[in-house]
Amino acid sequence: QVQLVESGGGLVQAGGSLRLSCAASGRTFSSYCMGWFRQVPGKEREFVAAISRNSGSNDYADSVKGRFTISRHNAKNTVYLQMNSLKPEDTAVYYCAAGGAFLGLKPDEYDYWGQGTQVTVPS
C-alpha cells in the first residue's frame, strides 16, 4: 500500500514556474514507476510525465516537453514536477500516481493516486 500526498500547486501568471511535490508513504517507493497526470472538469485525466524506478527513463506528453521536468528522490520518497513557462492551458488539478515496473502513459496503468493539487494559470 502506498499513500501519496501532492503539494506545491497554486496560482501563477503565464510564463511563471511552479514545482509540484508528491510525498509517498511506505518503504517500497523505489519499486514503483511514478507518474503525473492532470484533469480539468469535464475531461478525462491526461498523462503529463512519468519516471522509471531508478530515474533512468522518463516520458512526457508532447504538450509539456521542454517545459516540464519530472524527477524523484528515492531516499526522500518524493517525486517532483518542475513546471516552467506555464500557460493558461496548463490549468488543471495535478495528480501523482504510483504504478508498476514499466513507464505508464494511461491512468489504468497506475495503482495508487494522490488527492491532487490545483494549478491555475490565468489567461
Side-chain angles (χ1 to χ4, degrees), residues 12-111:
V12 62
Q13 296 302 311
S17 298
L18 280 176
R19 188 175 83 154
L20 305 183
S21 299
C22 174
S25 65
R27 301 180 184 178
T28 59
F29 176 75
S30 61
S31 67
Y32 294 97
C33 286
M34 299 298 296
W36 286 96
F37 289 76
R38 64 188 182 187
Q39 190 169 23
V40 298
K43 292 191 176 182
E44 293 185 352
R45 197 162 292 190
E46 170 187 47
F47 170 75
V48 175
I51 189 166
S52 62
R53 293 176 292 180
N54 64 356
S55 302
S57 299
N58 53 47
D59 203 354
Y60 297 91
D62 288 342
S63 58
V64 307
K65 278 181 182 175
R67 299 189 299 121
F68 291 11
T69 303
I70 189 171
S71 61
R72 66 190 296 166
H73 195 307
N74 285 345
K76 295 183 178 180
N77 281 12
T78 303
V79 62
Y80 305 96
L81 186 68
Q82 178 67 44
M83 305 186 296
N84 299 329
S85 302
L86 282 161
K87 304 176 181 180
E89 51 264 43
D90 295 319
T91 295
V93 176
Y94 283 72
Y95 299 89
C96 73
F102 302 99
L103 288 180
L105 306 185
K106 300 178 181 179
D108 60 8
E109 295 174 313
Y110 290 83
D111 301 311

